[in-house]
Amino acid sequence: MREKQLLGIIWKCNLCGFCPKDMECPGYDEDTRWESSFARGKVSIVHAIMQDPDLRFQNSELAKERLFSCTGCGHCEYICPSGVDVPSIIYLGKKKLVEADNYPEAHKKIVENIKNHGNPFGETQPRDASWPNLKGNVNADSIYYPGCMAIYRIPEIALHTLKLFEKLGENIKVLKNETCCSGILYRTGHNELLYDLTNSMLNEIRENIPKQIIFTCPGCLTAFKEIYKSELKEKFEDTKLLHFSEYLVDKISKLGDLKSKINELLKTTIKGPIIWHDPCHLARGLGIYNEPRAILDAIQLPYAEFNQTKEDSNCCGSGSGVRSAYPELAEKTTIQRLEEVKELGAHTILTACPFCEYQYKSVVEKNRYDINVIDLNNLLSELISLL
Amino acid sequence: MIEPSIKAKLKTIVGDKYLSDDPVELYCYSHDLVSRALSWVDDNYRIMADLVVKPDNADQVKSIIDLANEESLKIIPRGAGTSYGGQFLPIEGGVVLDFSRMNHIIKIDTEDNYAIVEPGVLYKDLGKVLRNTGRGYWIPCNPGSADVCTIGGMIANDASGESAIKYGTTKDYVLNLKTILGTGQKVQLGRQVKKTVAGLDLLSLFVGSEGTLGVITEAALEFLPLPESFVTILGYFDSIEVAVQIAKEIKEMIIPMSIEMVDQLVLSGMNSYLSRLTPKMVLKIAKAAILVRLDGDEKTTSDYANRIKNLFSRNQHASDIKILRGLEHEYIWKARDGAGPSLLRIRRPEKNPSSLIPAILDFSVPYSKIYNLMEQFGEIMRSHNLIFTRMGHLGDGNVHFISTVTLKSKADVQKMGDLQEQLVTLATSLGGSVSAEHGCGIWKAPYLGTVLGEEVVELMGKIKSIFDPNNILNPGKMYSINKLAIFSN
Ligand SMILES: Cc1cc2nc3c(=O)[nH]c(=O)nc-3n(C[C@H](O)[C@H](O)[C@H](O)COP(=O)(O)OP(=O)(O)OC[C@H]3O[C@@H](n4cnc5c(N)ncnc54)[C@H](O)[C@@H]3O)c2cc1C
Ligand code: SF4
Ligand code: SF4
């Protein structure tokens, strides 16, 4: 979106202060409760930056901390009676700070890694070498886009997903020129790099238009569906862009009688009770929260819900580069979630976002919580193995 | 500019962590909707506090006020910063006193039905505790900002809302206040009793004084038993005139908890707000809708709900009459509370800033004049080609008019001022007030003389000088007119 348009959105904020001032806003500083740390303040900061001839605000350390500690979870937008798109305003603010070279060191590394290696981690080889063979499958008109997290950090997600595709008889391929979706670049203020870093991948799609692209990462799906549309004018008019749960929901019976294996699964691999975590980008951002639940209901998996769910669910704390720039803040938010899991008596968090899973897993491990975290596709694939 | 040595003293009082002079933080505390818009065409509206401090207790507040008197600092108390009159704006710079740390509920007494709280407690949080105490209680002031405003801000504004027709305003629930006056003197006003005529009622004087006389550090508030049930009757009408007439008929039948009217545009805004909730609820778009909320025991509320439904049904200009309970009842009041802000949902982002016309937001007139006010208001706005909405707490003659003026240059500010003047004159000529519930702050101060008489405003100024002789507390508000509030020549 153009700056002028975004300024119009800033003016829609009527400063009513209805936006969250508690764990609903991971960036809020509950200890000191400064105005600048919740959405109304962050919107004000961006307003100040847009009216800042002497760059006082653009060069401010506090502006940097406040804007870059926003996970882009969108909870404020959901609550806002005026429907203000706060995350987009904050992305604009970050962009202005990046222009002034005032942004977290950790993000400099991410940008360099994506530029040099096509992924934010700077990895040169995927963790698991078995799945890239699919690049050779030129006949498939369905694409699976696993995203960097599943390729380099939690390869099980990609491998289990491939197993599900196989069982469903889906002829699938991955992109030859697959690179980071670069959603993280947009969310950390580096919009200007988007075109160059995604162009060869997008050209491959444009040259051979697929029927559908299926994603396991809600962040990548959001990049394709929303960020490319607004920033690159790429609309994918003839291609369906689907989260795996959307793709699967009508086909679940094809995976076999999974419900007959639920008890066995709960006795062996997975420790119940299970609780479902709605990833922000998936549930609030894309409105996909009924599909995963329909899948769970179809296989008759008993699961609990958090106190706040679906569009109103709380963030895991890791999005938009917060995990890398402000790990303590991200951890604090995750711990609040884990405490809620404990309070609700659950032992396994089930979700459908590699980022949420990775964040939960690392905080669980560091703080020795007796809680497991598992991706929906892993669970389904485990059930298939039991058939 | 505040000297470093004074800053150091303030730091010693509140602690390093709780003082900020960072321009980014100061900016966040230094504008409201109106000043933000005006700042694009006139630099004078780029208001900036010098410091923000967050005291933790009454002693700290006293030390700050003492220092302010010694060093001629201006002090601007602030709750959640949700006022619409610019009450919390640091128009002369100075130190913003943010009460967000003084947010403790000190006592809930169910023998005498009162709560003692610090000023930074959110009305919502106190409400939650009261609901879950014993048989369930509430303080039925219900301003539209109930989810976010603080008790201190409510008392200082004497806030009220949709239930004022039956339950009155915040003032009716304040039993006593611990305050620190502008002089630095600690004074307790009122007793722990509901009825007292012992002496002049300084407690009532203090409630609604917008932080200009003293600072509240603790409040005792009466609470009432929570009613057994709530029900809402919703009806749509062909015209505002009929809606106003029928509201009067309801008032003759019963004093309900609320009688609200919203116009066509507000209904669209409410629909947009409701669209994000599940299960879905869609309102009909009509010229006007009336919401009547009843509370009390099951049988009485049901009986009256049916009587009101019949009253609506008998009117040929009414349609789609419904009795709402449970989730639908909850949703419609959520949407009503958010109705003002939700108008922005249905508005496309603008190319130029536009300012809310601040002094027309909150008129009240005698009931018999409500329709005249709305009609004549409409005529004036239409002659300026401006979009506007009308909604209000019909029950008590309080109408909120919302309209904005696009600002391309300084000249537009003056045009807005001229129009505002015309509209305020209309309301006052009908025997009305410029502020029914939101308070005066800076934006309505210029009209206080017209509403009350200059001599009355002068008396108020004299009272202020007793409580705050050095004029350190929230200067430029209510009884003194700041140049920023004068838009027209
Ligand atoms: C969407 C919306 C709807 C609203 N609806 C209503 C409504 O229906 N009725 C209504 O009356 N108002 C309404 N308001 C206005 C406002 O929210 C209320 O008046 C509210 O009570 C103000 O509380 P606050 O905590 O935000 O106070 P602030 O706005 O921060 O301050 C209000 C005043 O209180 C003073 N103050 C704050 N704390 C203290 C203290 N401890 N000691 C002394 N002075 C203090 C401040 O100096 C200021 O003058 C609405 C606002 C919004 C945004
Ligand atoms: S972002 Fe929305 S909820 Fe927050 S202050 Fe602005 S308008 Fe109100
Ligand atoms: S997007 Fe999330 S973290 Fe960012 S301001 Fe809104 S609620 Fe807070």
Side-chain angles (χ1 to χ4, degrees):
Chain A
M1 257 189 275
R2 288 211 305 276
E3 283 185 14
K4 191 88 190 139
Q5 246 175 314
L6 283 160
L7 190 56
I9 298 179
I10 296 177
W11 289 329
K12 275 176 150 236
C13 166
N14 72 94
L15 302 166
C16 66
F18 278 44
C19 30
K21 283 188 194 166
D22 50 27
M23 74 177 281
E24 287 178 342
C25 172
Y28 182 57
D29 183 347
E30 269 192 83
D31 175 24
T32 56
R33 297 158 186 261
W34 287 110
E35 180 74 20
S36 61
S37 79
F38 80 117
R40 177 172 70 179
K42 291 180 205 268
V43 171
S44 290
I45 295 172
V46 184
H47 186 262
I49 290 170
M50 298 302 283
Q51 216 186 24
D52 186 20
D54 51 6
L55 306 187
R56 196 157 54 132
F57 298 109
Q58 218 167 332
N59 288 319
S60 150
E61 206 36 51
L62 183 63
K64 174 171 88 179
E65 194 186 318
R66 293 311 194 206
L67 298 186
F68 284 95
S69 62
C70 162
T71 65
C73 72
H75 215 155
C76 46
E77 181 183 356
Y78 171 71
I79 289 168
C80 173
S82 306
V84 176
D85 178 359
V86 178
S88 293
I89 295 172
I90 293 175
Y91 299 145
L92 167 68
K94 289 178 180 176
K95 179 171 165 264
K96 301 302 281 182
L97 297 190
V98 167
E99 280 169 18
D101 199 25
N102 181 24
Y103 64 102
E105 279 304 311
H107 291 180
K108 296 193 173 157
K109 192 94 191 106
I110 290 176
V111 173
E112 282 314 302
N113 285 339
I114 297 179
K115 274 187 187 166
N116 297 331
H117 304 289
N119 68 78
F121 313 113
E123 299 285 354
T124 49
Q125 286 294 318
R127 284 275 169 99
D128 194 297
S130 57
W131 68 270
N133 296 336
L134 285 169
K135 286 188 179 181
N137 185 2
V138 286
N139 296 324
D141 62 359
S142 292
I143 291 172
Y144 170 42
Y145 186 90
C148 299
M149 193 51 106
I151 298 175
Y152 301 102
R153 290 290 178 268
I154 324 182
E156 308 88 85
I157 295 183
L159 294 170
H160 285 296
T161 304
L162 291 180
K163 201 167 138 189
L164 297 177
F165 278 129
E166 197 185 331
K167 179 92 181 164
L168 292 164
E170 189 71 71
N171 189 14
I172 201 100
K173 68 176 176 182
V174 292
L175 292 162
K176 279 191 181 143
N177 296 315
E178 186 186 287
T179 185
C180 174
C181 72
S182 302
I184 187 67
L185 294 178
Y186 172 74
R187 296 184 190 105
T188 53
H190 295 275
N191 315 33
E192 83 289 354
L193 298 174
L194 265 181
Y195 177 82
D196 284 349
L197 295 178
T198 56
N199 201 32
S200 75
M201 174 172 76
L202 293 180
N203 274 339
E204 185 185 336
I205 299 173
R206 286 178 199 122
E207 277 161 20
N208 199 354
I209 295 172
K211 179 180 79 182
Q212 56 186 353
I213 308 177
I214 299 151
F215 298 78
T216 35
C217 174
C220 301
L221 176 56
T222 307
F224 274 69
K225 247 187 161 162
E226 293 183 350
I227 301 174
Y228 295 170
K229 188 160 132 194
S230 79
E231 303 303 299
L232 306 175
K233 307 289 167 248
E234 178 60 71
K235 292 186 188 144
F236 298 104
E237 269 160 359
D238 300 313
T239 301
K240 275 195 211 159
L241 304 172
L242 299 171
H243 184 257
F244 193 88
S245 61
E246 283 178 290
Y247 157 82
L248 180 67
V249 70
D250 303 329
K251 307 178 182 66
I252 182 79
S253 58
K254 287 196 191 165
L255 291 178
D257 184 14
L258 301 187
K259 57 181 179 299
S260 64
K261 296 294 167 191
I262 293 289
N263 284 342
E264 197 176 332
L265 184 84
L266 290 175
K267 270 188 212 137
T268 52
T269 336
I270 292 181
K271 195 170 167 195
I274 294 170
I275 192 161
W276 172 256
H277 166 82
D278 284 298
C280 298
H281 286 311
L282 191 68
R284 195 160 32 241
L286 299 165
I288 303 170
Y289 45 78
N290 288 329
E291 291 81 352
R293 286 177 173 79
I295 292 169
L296 299 180
D297 292 343
I299 61 171
Q300 295 181 4
L301 181 86
Y303 67 97
E305 294 273 14
F306 278 96
N307 293 322
Q308 288 171 254
T309 61
K310 302 178 182 174
E311 286 148 313
D312 193 26
S313 62
N314 284 321
C315 178
C316 73
S318 72
S320 296
V322 172
R323 181 186 152 81
S324 49
Y326 303 105
E328 299 85 16
L329 179 69
E331 183 176 335
K332 199 184 99 196
T333 309
T334 316
I335 285 179
Q336 284 181 335
R337 292 294 275 166
L338 293 170
E339 287 299 319
E340 192 178 335
V341 173
K342 258 173 67 182
E343 214 173 273
L344 295 169
H347 272 110
T348 296
I349 302 173
L350 180 64
T351 191
C353 169
F355 263 90
C356 299
E357 180 179 343
Y358 195 66
Q359 174 67 8
Y360 275 129
K361 275 187 166 151
S362 52
V363 178
V364 159
E365 199 175 311
K366 185 172 167 205
N367 295 278
R368 295 167 199 266
Y369 276 93
D370 179 21
I371 291 172
N372 303 319
V373 193
I374 183 168
D375 183 83
L376 175 60
N377 288 7
N378 289 24
L379 179 132
L380 295 171
S381 149
E382 296 279 358
L383 280 169
I384 290 172
S385 318
L386 295 175
L387 284 174
Chain B
M1 248 320 254
I2 292 182
E3 289 188 17
S5 60
I6 302 175
K7 221 181 279 182
K9 285 184 191 164
L10 284 165
K11 258 191 189 165
T12 319
I13 297 170
V14 292
D16 269 15
K17 220 161 106 179
Y18 300 108
L19 175 145
S20 181
D21 59 355
D22 191 301
V24 164
E25 200 61 63
L26 298 178
Y27 180 81
C28 292
Y29 283 86
S30 300
H31 58 275
D32 75 348
L33 199 51
V34 178
S35 71
R36 187 185 69 184
L38 297 174
S39 71
W40 284 90
V41 289
D42 185 344
D43 284 349
N44 288 317
Y45 291 95
R46 296 192 179 198
I47 299 162
M48 202 65 157
D50 293 307
L51 286 178
V52 184
V53 293
K54 288 172 173 269
D56 185 38
N57 55 56
D59 289 340
Q60 289 186 2
V61 176
K62 172 154 172 56
S63 306
I64 294 164
I65 291 184
D66 287 344
L67 187 67
N69 275 310
E70 281 161 32
E71 306 287 353
S72 303
L73 304 176
K74 303 298 180 194
I75 301 287
I76 303 91
R78 176 178 169 118
T82 65
S83 291
Y84 274 135
Q87 282 91 323
F88 54 79
L89 286 177
I91 46 178
E92 296 182 19
V95 181
V96 174
L97 210 55
D98 173 337
F99 283 98
S100 56
R101 286 174 75 208
M102 291 178 66
N103 63 346
H104 301 100
I105 298 175
I106 298 166
K107 185 177 179 186
I108 304 277
D109 187 317
T110 49
E111 222 164 277
D112 290 323
N113 285 17
Y114 68 88
I116 299 182
V117 298
E118 289 186 318
V121 167
L122 298 186
Y123 176 66
K124 174 182 78 171
D125 290 346
L126 179 59
K128 205 165 159 189
V129 171
L130 289 176
R131 250 193 327 278
N132 296 322
T133 298
R135 48 94 60 223
Y137 299 93
W138 68 334
I139 301 175
C141 303
N142 301 323
S145 52
D147 274 355
V148 289
C149 65
T150 64
I151 296 292
M154 284 176 70
I155 296 172
N157 277 356
D158 190 12
S160 61
E162 298 138 1
S163 48
I165 175 178
K166 178 168 177 184
Y167 288 112
T169 68
T170 303
K171 183 169 68 229
D172 299 309
Y173 300 88
V174 181
L175 294 174
N176 67 69
L177 295 175
K178 284 192 182 161
T179 67
I180 298 168
L181 305 184
T183 53
Q185 191 185 357
K186 280 190 177 181
V187 175
Q188 176 153 353
L189 300 169
R191 308 274 302 162
Q192 220 83 305
V193 291
K194 180 75 181 163
K195 269 179 95 173
T196 167
V197 286
L200 285 181
D201 188 358
L202 295 189
L203 178 65
S204 291
L205 174 71
F206 208 90
V207 178
S209 63
E210 299 183 4
T212 60
L213 303 180
V215 174
I216 302 154
T217 55
E218 207 175 283
L221 302 164
E222 186 197 10
F223 51 74
L224 307 180
L226 202 56
E228 187 183 300
S229 68
F230 295 92
V231 59
T232 293
I233 306 95
L234 165 67
Y236 301 92
F237 295 87
D238 288 353
S239 76
I240 288 181
E241 189 172 15
V242 180
V244 172
Q245 278 165 7
I246 209 142
K248 170 77 173 149
E249 288 179 49
I250 296 167
K251 275 185 13 148
E252 301 284 310
M253 183 198 297
I254 185 181
I255 299 295
M257 180 178 161
S258 322
I259 311 181
E260 295 292 301
M261 192 218 76
V262 290
D263 74 3
Q264 198 163 348
L265 205 54
V266 179
L267 281 166
S268 304
M270 286 169 74
N271 262 343
S272 165
Y273 181 79
L274 287 166
S275 67
R276 61 185 203 122
L277 304 174
T278 30
K280 295 286 169 237
M281 180 173 181
V282 183
L283 304 174
K284 180 177 150 174
I285 303 301
K287 283 271 180 335
I290 287 200
L291 294 166
V292 185
R293 177 163 47 181
L294 303 170
D295 66 330
D297 67 80
E298 281 286 348
K299 185 171 175 336
T300 319
T301 51
S302 278
D303 287 352
Y304 274 102
N306 287 326
R307 284 177 65 181
I308 293 169
K309 190 177 173 202
N310 290 339
L311 176 73
F312 282 8
S313 307
R314 283 197 302 274
N315 192 303
Q316 54 172 339
H317 301 284
S319 58
D320 290 76
I321 303 144
K322 287 195 182 91
I323 294 183
L324 311 176
R325 291 194 166 84
L327 214 50
E328 279 191 318
H329 165 90
E330 191 187 310
Y331 280 7
I332 197 132
W333 289 102
K334 253 183 198 280
R336 170 60 194 89
D337 282 351
S342 70
L343 288 166
L344 288 151
R345 285 181 163 257
I346 53 174
R347 187 163 163 168
R348 275 212 304 275
E350 297 189 314
K351 293 196 177 85
N352 293 293
S354 61
S355 174
L356 199 66
I357 311 174
I360 65 166
L361 207 58
D362 186 29
F363 289 149
S364 64
V365 287
Y367 197 85
S368 59
K369 300 290 190 304
I370 288 187
Y371 181 63
N372 290 351
L373 175 68
M374 289 203 248
E375 257 315 280
Q376 291 178 41
F377 179 93
E379 273 165 31
I380 298 173
M381 297 307 274
R382 277 188 286 269
S383 73
H384 286 84
N385 284 326
L386 288 172
I387 296 172
F388 59 94
T389 66
R390 292 159 288 194
M391 63 179 146
H393 314 311
L394 267 199
D396 42 32
N398 179 186
V399 190
H400 298 306
F401 294 102
I402 301 180
S403 185
T404 58
V405 170
T406 302
L407 303 173
K408 290 186 180 155
S409 70
K410 258 188 187 179
D412 293 322
V413 182
Q414 189 178 326
K415 274 191 221 154
M416 178 172 91
D418 293 343
L419 173 62
Q420 176 169 277
E421 184 104 24
Q422 198 183 352
L423 295 166
V424 172
T425 307
L426 168 68
T428 48
S429 69
L430 293 170
S433 165
V434 75
S435 183
E437 58 183 24
H438 289 177
C440 284
I442 165 174
W443 306 126
K444 291 174 206 154
Y447 307 109
L448 226 56
T450 321
V451 178
L452 302 171
E454 297 299 344
E455 67 289 357
V456 175
V457 181
E458 210 173 291
L459 266 177
M460 289 182 181
K462 285 181 184 156
I463 293 173
K464 157 95 171 160
S465 65
I466 298 171
F467 283 76
D468 181 24
N470 295 329
N471 191 25
I472 59 162
L473 286 174
N474 215 358
K477 311 285 164 60
M478 194 135 43
Y479 5 72
S480 60
I481 302 170
N482 189 280
K483 65 179 189 317
L484 294 179
I486 317 265
F487 304 140
S488 48
N489 284 331

